[in-house]
Amino acid sequence: MRLIPVENLSEEDAAKELEHLSELIAHHDTLYYLKDNPEISDAEYDELRLRNSAIEERFPHLIRDDSPSLRVGAPLIGPFKKVQHRKPMLSLDNGFEDQDIFDFIERIRRFLNVSRETIIEIVAEPKIDGLSATLDYQMGHFALGATRGDGNEGEDITANLRTLKDIPRLIEASDFPKATEIRGEVYMRHEDFMAMNEERNAKGEAIFANPRNAAAGSVRQLDPRVTAKRPLKFFAYSCDDYSSFQVQTHWEFLEKLKEWGFVVNPLARLCKSAEELLAFYHELEAERATLPYDIDGIVYKVNRLDWQSRMGFSTRAPRWAIAHKFPAQKAQTRLNDIFIQVGRTGALTPVAALEPVTVGGVVVSRASLHNEDEIARKDVRVGDTVVIQRAGDVIPQIVSVVLEKRPADSQPFEFPHVCPVCGSHAIRLEGEVARKCIGGLVCSAQAALRLRHFVSRDAFDIEGFGSKHVDAFYKEGLVKYPQDIFTLEARDSRSLTPLRVREGWGPLSAQNLFKAISDRREISLHRFIYSLGIPQVGQATAKLLARHYVSYLSWKEAMILAKDQNSQAFSDLMSIDGIGPSVTEDLVAFFDEPHNLDVLEALLKEIQVLDEVLPDIGSSPFANKTIVFTGSLQHMTRSEAKVKAESLGAKVSSSVSAKTDYVVIGEDPGSKAKAAKELGVTILGEEEWLKMLV
Ligand code: IVH
């Protein structure tokens, strides 16, 4: 599928795509984290996430409650029940400039047809940067709590919300409606957030990027006991339907909420003009850095409820309210150094080490530089003074360089071409933003994950050797490279602390593991190829390669020779139907890395890779023949034809060469038919091909 560039996306398309990406990424997270059985490469996975972030960056108001960027670590796959909201949970229109607020007031006047003299009271409330939730009360009992979800349907997080002290469990006041929904924001205070992150960090757990993520992650925990330990708070500010309350204004509603035991933001203010609103806005903007929680603007709401109901709603937001957003918080500081981090996919990420500076009340000493192009585009250099901005995140962004302050002797940053962790080459493939370390088998930044893949079900399938063991063995230095798995037993027998005496192990379980490992000293070629975790080489590609090359040695030789693009090996590899230039590049890169070849050599001393057994092809005329299909076939699709040919022992190729045995031509065949004629390859019409099948 060809993707529309993010800058050309319409809002509607963006919303649709974000929804799709959220589902897709959640699906792959489940496969990866919970089933240990990913079906796409890490690079493809990263692409999805990058695309999602790019769209969110352009359309921040479309960021979904279930956005992948709000999920941290293991996926939040909720068996959370879906809940239909009785009244939709809407969003708010945004204003940025003072003029937007004057316009807002003007619109209200026009809509209500009231004179300039009429005072329009507006309640101004801080816009809390958390996540919204709705609380359903039945006969005073907190009966059901839900996330906003898509606005119409959220998720049932009642058990988790019950753990919040700010949410009353029972309201006995006689004027509290028998059935109502109270709405508001779940959030986390800065100091609680930081303490929690420190604790997580100490335990080696992933830290949350900002209080909003932390709140969102905490509220969607599967175990409410976990939520109970998280310092979550709640501000109430709205309801599903004012008509069941005996109040005339929003301000009175807030007063009532307080009486009933809800926490209402104490900074809310009743204003009588646009000027008053703006004064309040600038006051809070100045105070923002010292507030104990994140706010990203002020929400203005028409106070009179009869006016609110006259104005009503547009499709996504009430006409009687607007969110006046704050600009991002900025500061200047010196960039002391640029260092490179290596992620689990091998991607090299540059990070700026900054002279610590306070931005929006938080001391910042690091900023993300994203990737090589970003550094080049902004021409960020060590020693530069840079403008940084925090948009709610712990890791801020570098906005620009203050060129006037650049030291005379500064040099452009040279992005390393070797991995800082393992010393392997770091290369950048066409069309990819990240430079990647290709020492997949040796790089400790990637190793434990690669090892997990190596032993996984569709690869070596070593029973009882799960992720937990891989990680533990890797940490202890017992298994660093794939070959170490097969020398484990011999080393263990000489060890002073053999496995059987270790915690969590006994003689039997240790013996079982060693047996499971030695059962796998023989492996089929396609499993072996897949096990290596070469980028883009999933199971399907591994099978194509195995069937084409049949033996490990001929595969390996061919991959080494294919580095030369003029070689026979290169065109042979490219001719395999289903193998394109990008996979070819990854394969060649893998075999071009001496570290990887060392591992292969060591590994092959321990195991035997069996020749690929081709399907039983009997007396098929296509056994071991190379076929090319061209033009459109009438009786079957191209994919069907391909599967059929392969089941009869043929190799299906995408280009015609002297090695091709048959070219099957359909309608409008094009250049391949011509090439076949020139090379004297046997040409079959569709009918002939069909006849040969029976
Ligand atoms: S009122 C129908 N009041 O902002 C109007 N929203 O951009 C409902 N928010 O989804 C919203 N503080 O999560 C309202 N004092 C406040 C708020 C607030 C934060 C959030 C809320 C909403 C989002 C809209």
Side-chain angles (χ1 to χ4, degrees), residues 622 627-630 633 661-666 676 681-690 692:
F622 296 109
I627 291 199
V628 174
F629 291 95
T630 178
L633 301 177
D661 295 292
Y662 297 107
V663 173
V664 178
I665 54 172
V681 175
T682 310
I683 294 178
L684 301 176
E686 188 173 350
E687 296 298 326
E688 287 171 276
W689 144 254
L690 289 172
M692 285 173 79

mmCIF file with all atom_site columns, all heavy atoms in Angstrom, residues 622 627-630 633 661-666 676 681-690 692:
data_model
loop_
_atom_site.group_PDB
_atom_site.id
_atom_site.type_symbol
_atom_site.label_atom_id
_atom_site.label_alt_id
_atom_site.label_comp_id
_atom_site.label_asym_id
_atom_site.label_entity_id
_atom_site.label_seq_id
_atom_site.pdbx_PDB_ins_code
_atom_site.Cartn_x
_atom_site.Cartn_y
_atom_site.Cartn_z
_atom_site.occupancy
_atom_site.B_iso_or_equiv
_atom_site.pdbx_formal_charge
_atom_site.auth_seq_id
_atom_site.auth_comp_id
_atom_site.auth_asym_id
_atom_site.auth_atom_id
_atom_site.pdbx_PDB_model_num
ATOM 1   N N   . PHE A 1 622 ? 7.407  -29.904 -13.969 1.00 0.00 ? 622 PHE A N   1
ATOM 2   C CA  . PHE A 1 622 ? 7.975  -28.645 -13.498 1.00 0.00 ? 622 PHE A CA  1
ATOM 3   C C   . PHE A 1 622 ? 9.022  -28.839 -12.404 1.00 0.00 ? 622 PHE A C   1
ATOM 4   O O   . PHE A 1 622 ? 9.546  -27.879 -11.866 1.00 0.00 ? 622 PHE A O   1
ATOM 5   C CB  . PHE A 1 622 ? 6.851  -27.733 -12.972 1.00 0.00 ? 622 PHE A CB  1
ATOM 6   C CG  . PHE A 1 622 ? 5.880  -27.339 -14.053 1.00 0.00 ? 622 PHE A CG  1
ATOM 7   C CD1 . PHE A 1 622 ? 4.589  -27.851 -14.067 1.00 0.00 ? 622 PHE A CD1 1
ATOM 8   C CD2 . PHE A 1 622 ? 6.284  -26.484 -15.062 1.00 0.00 ? 622 PHE A CD2 1
ATOM 9   C CE1 . PHE A 1 622 ? 3.708  -27.499 -15.065 1.00 0.00 ? 622 PHE A CE1 1
ATOM 10  C CE2 . PHE A 1 622 ? 5.403  -26.133 -16.074 1.00 0.00 ? 622 PHE A CE2 1
ATOM 11  C CZ  . PHE A 1 622 ? 4.114  -26.646 -16.083 1.00 0.00 ? 622 PHE A CZ  1
ATOM 12  N N   . ILE A 1 627 ? 10.231 -21.067 -13.481 1.00 0.00 ? 627 ILE A N   1
ATOM 13  C CA  . ILE A 1 627 ? 9.110  -20.550 -14.253 1.00 0.00 ? 627 ILE A CA  1
ATOM 14  C C   . ILE A 1 627 ? 8.946  -19.055 -14.013 1.00 0.00 ? 627 ILE A C   1
ATOM 15  O O   . ILE A 1 627 ? 9.136  -18.576 -12.888 1.00 0.00 ? 627 ILE A O   1
ATOM 16  C CB  . ILE A 1 627 ? 7.781  -21.227 -13.821 1.00 0.00 ? 627 ILE A CB  1
ATOM 17  C CG1 . ILE A 1 627 ? 7.758  -22.677 -14.226 1.00 0.00 ? 627 ILE A CG1 1
ATOM 18  C CG2 . ILE A 1 627 ? 6.582  -20.523 -14.380 1.00 0.00 ? 627 ILE A CG2 1
ATOM 19  C CD1 . ILE A 1 627 ? 6.360  -23.255 -14.259 1.00 0.00 ? 627 ILE A CD1 1
ATOM 20  N N   . VAL A 1 628 ? 8.577  -18.345 -15.062 1.00 0.00 ? 628 VAL A N   1
ATOM 21  C CA  . VAL A 1 628 ? 8.227  -16.935 -14.899 1.00 0.00 ? 628 VAL A CA  1
ATOM 22  C C   . VAL A 1 628 ? 6.798  -16.745 -15.430 1.00 0.00 ? 628 VAL A C   1
ATOM 23  O O   . VAL A 1 628 ? 6.470  -17.282 -16.489 1.00 0.00 ? 628 VAL A O   1
ATOM 24  C CB  . VAL A 1 628 ? 9.194  -16.028 -15.688 1.00 0.00 ? 628 VAL A CB  1
ATOM 25  C CG1 . VAL A 1 628 ? 8.734  -14.571 -15.634 1.00 0.00 ? 628 VAL A CG1 1
ATOM 26  C CG2 . VAL A 1 628 ? 10.613 -16.154 -15.144 1.00 0.00 ? 628 VAL A CG2 1
ATOM 27  N N   . PHE A 1 629 ? 5.952  -16.053 -14.673 1.00 0.00 ? 629 PHE A N   1
ATOM 28  C CA  . PHE A 1 629 ? 4.611  -15.727 -15.163 1.00 0.00 ? 629 PHE A CA  1
ATOM 29  C C   . PHE A 1 629 ? 4.595  -14.271 -15.604 1.00 0.00 ? 629 PHE A C   1
ATOM 30  O O   . PHE A 1 629 ? 5.165  -13.408 -14.942 1.00 0.00 ? 629 PHE A O   1
ATOM 31  C CB  . PHE A 1 629 ? 3.566  -15.922 -14.064 1.00 0.00 ? 629 PHE A CB  1
ATOM 32  C CG  . PHE A 1 629 ? 3.370  -17.365 -13.696 1.00 0.00 ? 629 PHE A CG  1
ATOM 33  C CD1 . PHE A 1 629 ? 4.052  -17.918 -12.624 1.00 0.00 ? 629 PHE A CD1 1
ATOM 34  C CD2 . PHE A 1 629 ? 2.516  -18.175 -14.444 1.00 0.00 ? 629 PHE A CD2 1
ATOM 35  C CE1 . PHE A 1 629 ? 3.886  -19.248 -12.291 1.00 0.00 ? 629 PHE A CE1 1
ATOM 36  C CE2 . PHE A 1 629 ? 2.344  -19.506 -14.110 1.00 0.00 ? 629 PHE A CE2 1
ATOM 37  C CZ  . PHE A 1 629 ? 3.037  -20.052 -13.034 1.00 0.00 ? 629 PHE A CZ  1
ATOM 38  N N   . THR A 1 630 ? 3.926  -14.014 -16.719 1.00 0.00 ? 630 THR A N   1
ATOM 39  C CA  . THR A 1 630 ? 3.813  -12.623 -17.149 1.00 0.00 ? 630 THR A CA  1
ATOM 40  C C   . THR A 1 630 ? 2.462  -12.383 -17.819 1.00 0.00 ? 630 THR A C   1
ATOM 41  O O   . THR A 1 630 ? 1.855  -13.326 -18.341 1.00 0.00 ? 630 THR A O   1
ATOM 42  C CB  . THR A 1 630 ? 4.994  -12.234 -18.077 1.00 0.00 ? 630 THR A CB  1
ATOM 43  O OG1 . THR A 1 630 ? 4.813  -10.895 -18.514 1.00 0.00 ? 630 THR A OG1 1
ATOM 44  C CG2 . THR A 1 630 ? 5.064  -13.125 -19.300 1.00 0.00 ? 630 THR A CG2 1
ATOM 45  N N   . LEU A 1 633 ? -3.449 -13.684 -16.221 1.00 0.00 ? 633 LEU A N   1
ATOM 46  C CA  . LEU A 1 633 ? -4.008 -15.011 -16.492 1.00 0.00 ? 633 LEU A CA  1
ATOM 47  C C   . LEU A 1 633 ? -5.525 -14.957 -16.316 1.00 0.00 ? 633 LEU A C   1
ATOM 48  O O   . LEU A 1 633 ? -6.031 -14.218 -15.480 1.00 0.00 ? 633 LEU A O   1
ATOM 49  C CB  . LEU A 1 633 ? -3.411 -16.029 -15.525 1.00 0.00 ? 633 LEU A CB  1
ATOM 50  C CG  . LEU A 1 633 ? -1.880 -16.162 -15.570 1.00 0.00 ? 633 LEU A CG  1
ATOM 51  C CD1 . LEU A 1 633 ? -1.400 -17.140 -14.511 1.00 0.00 ? 633 LEU A CD1 1
ATOM 52  C CD2 . LEU A 1 633 ? -1.415 -16.624 -16.948 1.00 0.00 ? 633 LEU A CD2 1
ATOM 53  N N   . ASP A 1 661 ? 13.297 -21.812 -17.406 1.00 0.00 ? 661 ASP A N   1
ATOM 54  C CA  . ASP A 1 661 ? 12.878 -22.947 -18.238 1.00 0.00 ? 661 ASP A CA  1
ATOM 55  C C   . ASP A 1 661 ? 11.596 -22.642 -18.999 1.00 0.00 ? 661 ASP A C   1
ATOM 56  O O   . ASP A 1 661 ? 11.467 -23.005 -20.155 1.00 0.00 ? 661 ASP A O   1
ATOM 57  C CB  . ASP A 1 661 ? 12.682 -24.186 -17.357 1.00 0.00 ? 661 ASP A CB  1
ATOM 58  C CG  . ASP A 1 661 ? 13.997 -24.620 -16.740 1.00 0.00 ? 661 ASP A CG  1
ATOM 59  O OD1 . ASP A 1 661 ? 14.873 -25.080 -17.484 1.00 0.00 ? 661 ASP A OD1 1
ATOM 60  O OD2 . ASP A 1 661 ? 14.165 -24.446 -15.511 1.00 0.00 ? 661 ASP A OD2 1
ATOM 61  N N   . TYR A 1 662 ? 10.629 -22.027 -18.299 1.00 0.00 ? 662 TYR A N   1
ATOM 62  C CA  . TYR A 1 662 ? 9.351  -21.724 -18.958 1.00 0.00 ? 662 TYR A CA  1
ATOM 63  C C   . TYR A 1 662 ? 8.912  -20.297 -18.666 1.00 0.00 ? 662 TYR A C   1
ATOM 64  O O   . TYR A 1 662 ? 9.079  -19.820 -17.537 1.00 0.00 ? 662 TYR A O   1
ATOM 65  C CB  . TYR A 1 662 ? 8.231  -22.627 -18.423 1.00 0.00 ? 662 TYR A CB  1
ATOM 66  C CG  . TYR A 1 662 ? 8.420  -24.096 -18.689 1.00 0.00 ? 662 TYR A CG  1
ATOM 67  C CD1 . TYR A 1 662 ? 8.766  -24.952 -17.653 1.00 0.00 ? 662 TYR A CD1 1
ATOM 68  C CD2 . TYR A 1 662 ? 8.202  -24.619 -19.968 1.00 0.00 ? 662 TYR A CD2 1
ATOM 69  C CE1 . TYR A 1 662 ? 8.920  -26.309 -17.880 1.00 0.00 ? 662 TYR A CE1 1
ATOM 70  C CE2 . TYR A 1 662 ? 8.355  -25.986 -20.202 1.00 0.00 ? 662 TYR A CE2 1
ATOM 71  C CZ  . TYR A 1 662 ? 8.718  -26.823 -19.159 1.00 0.00 ? 662 TYR A CZ  1
ATOM 72  O OH  . TYR A 1 662 ? 8.872  -28.161 -19.389 1.00 0.00 ? 662 TYR A OH  1
ATOM 73  N N   . VAL A 1 663 ? 8.344  -19.661 -19.671 1.00 0.00 ? 663 VAL A N   1
ATOM 74  C CA  . VAL A 1 663 ? 7.648  -18.405 -19.396 1.00 0.00 ? 663 VAL A CA  1
ATOM 75  C C   . VAL A 1 663 ? 6.180  -18.625 -19.762 1.00 0.00 ? 663 VAL A C   1
ATOM 76  O O   . VAL A 1 663 ? 5.872  -19.020 -20.885 1.00 0.00 ? 663 VAL A O   1
ATOM 77  C CB  . VAL A 1 663 ? 8.230  -17.231 -20.211 1.00 0.00 ? 663 VAL A CB  1
ATOM 78  C CG1 . VAL A 1 663 ? 7.371  -15.982 -20.025 1.00 0.00 ? 663 VAL A CG1 1
ATOM 79  C CG2 . VAL A 1 663 ? 9.652  -16.945 -19.766 1.00 0.00 ? 663 VAL A CG2 1
ATOM 80  N N   . VAL A 1 664 ? 5.295  -18.448 -18.790 1.00 0.00 ? 664 VAL A N   1
ATOM 81  C CA  . VAL A 1 664 ? 3.869  -18.609 -19.055 1.00 0.00 ? 664 VAL A CA  1
ATOM 82  C C   . VAL A 1 664 ? 3.294  -17.227 -19.321 1.00 0.00 ? 664 VAL A C   1
ATOM 83  O O   . VAL A 1 664 ? 3.427  -16.336 -18.472 1.00 0.00 ? 664 VAL A O   1
ATOM 84  C CB  . VAL A 1 664 ? 3.155  -19.247 -17.839 1.00 0.00 ? 664 VAL A CB  1
ATOM 85  C CG1 . VAL A 1 664 ? 1.655  -19.371 -18.106 1.00 0.00 ? 664 VAL A CG1 1
ATOM 86  C CG2 . VAL A 1 664 ? 3.760  -20.605 -17.524 1.00 0.00 ? 664 VAL A CG2 1
ATOM 87  N N   . ILE A 1 665 ? 2.712  -17.044 -20.526 1.00 0.00 ? 665 ILE A N   1
ATOM 88  C CA  . ILE A 1 665 ? 2.219  -15.708 -20.827 1.00 0.00 ? 665 ILE A CA  1
ATOM 89  C C   . ILE A 1 665 ? 0.690  -15.635 -20.848 1.00 0.00 ? 665 ILE A C   1
ATOM 90  O O   . ILE A 1 665 ? 0.013  -16.492 -21.392 1.00 0.00 ? 665 ILE A O   1
ATOM 91  C CB  . ILE A 1 665 ? 2.784  -15.147 -22.155 1.00 0.00 ? 665 ILE A CB  1
ATOM 92  C CG1 . ILE A 1 665 ? 2.538  -16.108 -23.309 1.00 0.00 ? 665 ILE A CG1 1
ATOM 93  C CG2 . ILE A 1 665 ? 4.264  -14.867 -22.041 1.00 0.00 ? 665 ILE A CG2 1
ATOM 94  C CD1 . ILE A 1 665 ? 2.913  -15.492 -24.648 1.00 0.00 ? 665 ILE A CD1 1
ATOM 95  N N   . GLY A 1 666 ? 0.181  -14.601 -20.194 1.00 0.00 ? 666 GLY A N   1
ATOM 96  C CA  . GLY A 1 666 ? -1.258 -14.325 -20.215 1.00 0.00 ? 666 GLY A CA  1
ATOM 97  C C   . GLY A 1 666 ? -1.527 -13.202 -21.197 1.00 0.00 ? 666 GLY A C   1
ATOM 98  O O   . GLY A 1 666 ? -0.769 -13.000 -22.146 1.00 0.00 ? 666 GLY A O   1
ATOM 99  N N   . ALA A 1 676 ? 12.016 -13.579 -23.360 1.00 0.00 ? 676 ALA A N   1
ATOM 100 C CA  . ALA A 1 676 ? 11.993 -15.037 -23.469 1.00 0.00 ? 676 ALA A CA  1
ATOM 101 C C   . ALA A 1 676 ? 12.283 -15.469 -24.903 1.00 0.00 ? 676 ALA A C   1
ATOM 102 O O   . ALA A 1 676 ? 13.051 -16.405 -25.146 1.00 0.00 ? 676 ALA A O   1
ATOM 103 C CB  . ALA A 1 676 ? 10.636 -15.565 -23.017 1.00 0.00 ? 676 ALA A CB  1
ATOM 104 N N   . VAL A 1 681 ? 13.794 -19.145 -24.587 1.00 0.00 ? 681 VAL A N   1
ATOM 105 C CA  . VAL A 1 681 ? 13.158 -19.882 -23.493 1.00 0.00 ? 681 VAL A CA  1
ATOM 106 C C   . VAL A 1 681 ? 11.797 -20.410 -23.973 1.00 0.00 ? 681 VAL A C   1
ATOM 107 O O   . VAL A 1 681 ? 11.109 -19.731 -24.747 1.00 0.00 ? 681 VAL A O   1
ATOM 108 C CB  . VAL A 1 681 ? 12.955 -18.947 -22.276 1.00 0.00 ? 681 VAL A CB  1
ATOM 109 C CG1 . VAL A 1 681 ? 12.192 -19.656 -21.167 1.00 0.00 ? 681 VAL A CG1 1
ATOM 110 C CG2 . VAL A 1 681 ? 14.290 -18.442 -21.769 1.00 0.00 ? 681 VAL A CG2 1
ATOM 111 N N   . THR A 1 682 ? 11.410 -21.595 -23.517 1.00 0.00 ? 682 THR A N   1
ATOM 112 C CA  . THR A 1 682 ? 10.129 -22.165 -23.918 1.00 0.00 ? 682 THR A CA  1
ATOM 113 C C   . THR A 1 682 ? 8.976  -21.290 -23.425 1.00 0.00 ? 682 THR A C   1
ATOM 114 O O   . THR A 1 682 ? 8.905  -20.959 -22.235 1.00 0.00 ? 682 THR A O   1
ATOM 115 C CB  . THR A 1 682 ? 9.946  -23.574 -23.309 1.00 0.00 ? 682 THR A CB  1
ATOM 116 O OG1 . THR A 1 682 ? 11.128 -24.301 -23.595 1.00 0.00 ? 682 THR A OG1 1
ATOM 117 C CG2 . THR A 1 682 ? 8.721  -24.261 -23.863 1.00 0.00 ? 682 THR A CG2 1
ATOM 118 N N   . ILE A 1 683 ? 8.098  -20.908 -24.361 1.00 0.00 ? 683 ILE A N   1
ATOM 119 C CA  . ILE A 1 683 ? 6.974  -20.061 -23.982 1.00 0.00 ? 683 ILE A CA  1
ATOM 120 C C   . ILE A 1 683 ? 5.698  -20.892 -23.946 1.00 0.00 ? 683 ILE A C   1
ATOM 121 O O   . ILE A 1 683 ? 5.438  -21.685 -24.858 1.00 0.00 ? 683 ILE A O   1
ATOM 122 C CB  . ILE A 1 683 ? 6.820  -18.900 -24.985 1.00 0.00 ? 683 ILE A CB  1
ATOM 123 C CG1 . ILE A 1 683 ? 8.054  -17.987 -24.876 1.00 0.00 ? 683 ILE A CG1 1
ATOM 124 C CG2 . ILE A 1 683 ? 5.536  -18.108 -24.722 1.00 0.00 ? 683 ILE A CG2 1
ATOM 125 C CD1 . ILE A 1 683 ? 8.050  -16.827 -25.830 1.00 0.00 ? 683 ILE A CD1 1
ATOM 126 N N   . LEU A 1 684 ? 4.934  -20.745 -22.867 1.00 0.00 ? 684 LEU A N   1
ATOM 127 C CA  . LEU A 1 684 ? 3.666  -21.471 -22.764 1.00 0.00 ? 684 LEU A CA  1
ATOM 128 C C   . LEU A 1 684 ? 2.520  -20.471 -22.719 1.00 0.00 ? 684 LEU A C   1
ATOM 129 O O   . LEU A 1 684 ? 2.600  -19.481 -21.993 1.00 0.00 ? 684 LEU A O   1
ATOM 130 C CB  . LEU A 1 684 ? 3.616  -22.290 -21.469 1.00 0.00 ? 684 LEU A CB  1
ATOM 131 C CG  . LEU A 1 684 ? 4.692  -23.349 -21.231 1.00 0.00 ? 684 LEU A CG  1
ATOM 132 C CD1 . LEU A 1 684 ? 4.516  -23.962 -19.843 1.00 0.00 ? 684 LEU A CD1 1
ATOM 133 C CD2 . LEU A 1 684 ? 4.622  -24.433 -22.303 1.00 0.00 ? 684 LEU A CD2 1
ATOM 134 N N   . GLY A 1 685 ? 1.473  -20.731 -23.509 1.00 0.00 ? 685 GLY A N   1
ATOM 135 C CA  . GLY A 1 685 ? 0.255  -19.937 -23.375 1.00 0.00 ? 685 GLY A CA  1
ATOM 136 C C   . GLY A 1 685 ? -0.480 -20.443 -22.146 1.00 0.00 ? 685 GLY A C   1
ATOM 137 O O   . GLY A 1 685 ? -0.133 -21.495 -21.594 1.00 0.00 ? 685 GLY A O   1
ATOM 138 N N   . GLU A 1 686 ? -1.500 -19.727 -21.710 1.00 0.00 ? 686 GLU A N   1
ATOM 139 C CA  . GLU A 1 686 ? -2.197 -20.127 -20.493 1.00 0.00 ? 686 GLU A CA  1
ATOM 140 C C   . GLU A 1 686 ? -2.820 -21.518 -20.645 1.00 0.00 ? 686 GLU A C   1
ATOM 141 O O   . GLU A 1 686 ? -2.756 -22.341 -19.725 1.00 0.00 ? 686 GLU A O   1
ATOM 142 C CB  . GLU A 1 686 ? -3.268 -19.096 -20.121 1.00 0.00 ? 686 GLU A CB  1
ATOM 143 C CG  . GLU A 1 686 ? -3.855 -19.413 -18.757 1.00 0.00 ? 686 GLU A CG  1
ATOM 144 C CD  . GLU A 1 686 ? -4.809 -18.349 -18.251 1.00 0.00 ? 686 GLU A CD  1
ATOM 145 O OE1 . GLU A 1 686 ? -4.875 -17.270 -18.869 1.00 0.00 ? 686 GLU A OE1 1
ATOM 146 O OE2 . GLU A 1 686 ? -5.478 -18.626 -17.243 1.00 0.00 ? 686 GLU A OE2 1
ATOM 147 N N   . GLU A 1 687 ? -3.415 -21.789 -21.819 1.00 0.00 ? 687 GLU A N   1
ATOM 148 C CA  . GLU A 1 687 ? -4.050 -23.096 -22.041 1.00 0.00 ? 687 GLU A CA  1
ATOM 149 C C   . GLU A 1 687 ? -3.038 -24.230 -21.921 1.00 0.00 ? 687 GLU A C   1
ATOM 150 O O   . GLU A 1 687 ? -3.301 -25.247 -21.283 1.00 0.00 ? 687 GLU A O   1
ATOM 151 C CB  . GLU A 1 687 ? -4.719 -23.136 -23.431 1.00 0.00 ? 687 GLU A CB  1
ATOM 152 C CG  . GLU A 1 687 ? -5.868 -22.156 -23.590 1.00 0.00 ? 687 GLU A CG  1
ATOM 153 C CD  . GLU A 1 687 ? -7.013 -22.431 -22.612 1.00 0.00 ? 687 GLU A CD  1
ATOM 154 O OE1 . GLU A 1 687 ? -7.258 -23.612 -22.304 1.00 0.00 ? 687 GLU A OE1 1
ATOM 155 O OE2 . GLU A 1 687 ? -7.631 -21.450 -22.124 1.00 0.00 ? 687 GLU A OE2 1
ATOM 156 N N   . GLU A 1 688 ? -1.869 -24.005 -22.543 1.00 0.00 ? 688 GLU A N   1
ATOM 157 C CA  . GLU A 1 688 ? -0.834 -25.050 -22.489 1.00 0.00 ? 688 GLU A CA  1
ATOM 158 C C   . GLU A 1 688 ? -0.407 -25.326 -21.051 1.00 0.00 ? 688 GLU A C   1
ATOM 159 O O   . GLU A 1 688 ? -0.221 -26.466 -20.633 1.00 0.00 ? 688 GLU A O   1
ATOM 160 C CB  . GLU A 1 688 ? 0.390  -24.610 -23.305 1.00 0.00 ? 688 GLU A CB  1
ATOM 161 C CG  . GLU A 1 688 ? 0.177  -24.665 -24.798 1.00 0.00 ? 688 GLU A CG  1
ATOM 162 C CD  . GLU A 1 688 ? 1.339  -24.017 -25.517 1.00 0.00 ? 688 GLU A CD  1
ATOM 163 O OE1 . GLU A 1 688 ? 1.314  -22.775 -25.655 1.00 0.00 ? 688 GLU A OE1 1
ATOM 164 O OE2 . GLU A 1 688 ? 2.277  -24.737 -25.904 1.00 0.00 ? 688 GLU A OE2 1
ATOM 165 N N   . TRP A 1 689 ? -0.242 -24.252 -20.338 1.00 0.00 ? 689 TRP A N   1
ATOM 166 C CA  . TRP A 1 689 ? 0.156  -24.363 -18.924 1.00 0.00 ? 689 TRP A CA  1
ATOM 167 C C   . TRP A 1 689 ? -0.874 -25.162 -18.145 1.00 0.00 ? 689 TRP A C   1
ATOM 168 O O   . TRP A 1 689 ? -0.563 -26.066 -17.388 1.00 0.00 ? 689 TRP A O   1
ATOM 169 C CB  . TRP A 1 689 ? 0.397  -22.951 -18.387 1.00 0.00 ? 689 TRP A CB  1
ATOM 170 C CG  . TRP A 1 689 ? 0.007  -22.643 -16.950 1.00 0.00 ? 689 TRP A CG  1
ATOM 171 C CD1 . TRP A 1 689 ? -1.059 -21.916 -16.559 1.00 0.00 ? 689 TRP A CD1 1
ATOM 172 C CD2 . TRP A 1 689 ? 0.696  -23.020 -15.753 1.00 0.00 ? 689 TRP A CD2 1
ATOM 173 N NE1 . TRP A 1 689 ? -1.095 -21.811 -15.203 1.00 0.00 ? 689 TRP A NE1 1
ATOM 174 C CE2 . TRP A 1 689 ? -0.020 -22.486 -14.660 1.00 0.00 ? 689 TRP A CE2 1
ATOM 175 C CE3 . TRP A 1 689 ? 1.837  -23.778 -15.485 1.00 0.00 ? 689 TRP A CE3 1
ATOM 176 C CZ2 . TRP A 1 689 ? 0.359  -22.664 -13.341 1.00 0.00 ? 689 TRP A CZ2 1
ATOM 177 C CZ3 . TRP A 1 689 ? 2.215  -23.954 -14.176 1.00 0.00 ? 689 TRP A CZ3 1
ATOM 178 C CH2 . TRP A 1 689 ? 1.489  -23.406 -13.109 1.00 0.00 ? 689 TRP A CH2 1
ATOM 179 N N   . LEU A 1 690 ? -2.159 -24.868 -18.396 1.00 0.00 ? 690 LEU A N   1
ATOM 180 C CA  . LEU A 1 690 ? -3.222 -25.576 -17.684 1.00 0.00 ? 690 LEU A CA  1
ATOM 181 C C   . LEU A 1 690 ? -3.212 -27.058 -18.025 1.00 0.00 ? 690 LEU A C   1
ATOM 182 O O   . LEU A 1 690 ? -3.390 -27.907 -17.152 1.00 0.00 ? 690 LEU A O   1
ATOM 183 C CB  . LEU A 1 690 ? -4.586 -24.966 -18.034 1.00 0.00 ? 690 LEU A CB  1
ATOM 184 C CG  . LEU A 1 690 ? -4.844 -23.577 -17.457 1.00 0.00 ? 690 LEU A CG  1
ATOM 185 C CD1 . LEU A 1 690 ? -6.137 -22.998 -18.024 1.00 0.00 ? 690 LEU A CD1 1
ATOM 186 C CD2 . LEU A 1 690 ? -4.904 -23.636 -15.932 1.00 0.00 ? 690 LEU A CD2 1
ATOM 187 N N   . MET A 1 692 ? -0.693 -28.847 -18.877 1.00 0.00 ? 692 MET A N   1
ATOM 188 C CA  . MET A 1 692 ? 0.444  -29.526 -18.246 1.00 0.00 ? 692 MET A CA  1
ATOM 189 C C   . MET A 1 692 ? 0.208  -29.791 -16.762 1.00 0.00 ? 692 MET A C   1
ATOM 190 O O   . MET A 1 692 ? 0.898  -30.585 -16.139 1.00 0.00 ? 692 MET A O   1
ATOM 191 C CB  . MET A 1 692 ? 1.719  -28.689 -18.415 1.00 0.00 ? 692 MET A CB  1
ATOM 192 C CG  . MET A 1 692 ? 2.261  -28.763 -19.835 1.00 0.00 ? 692 MET A CG  1
ATOM 193 S SD  . MET A 1 692 ? 3.623  -27.623 -20.059 1.00 0.00 ? 692 MET A SD  1
ATOM 194 C CE  . MET A 1 692 ? 4.969  -28.525 -19.295 1.00 0.00 ? 692 MET A CE  1
#
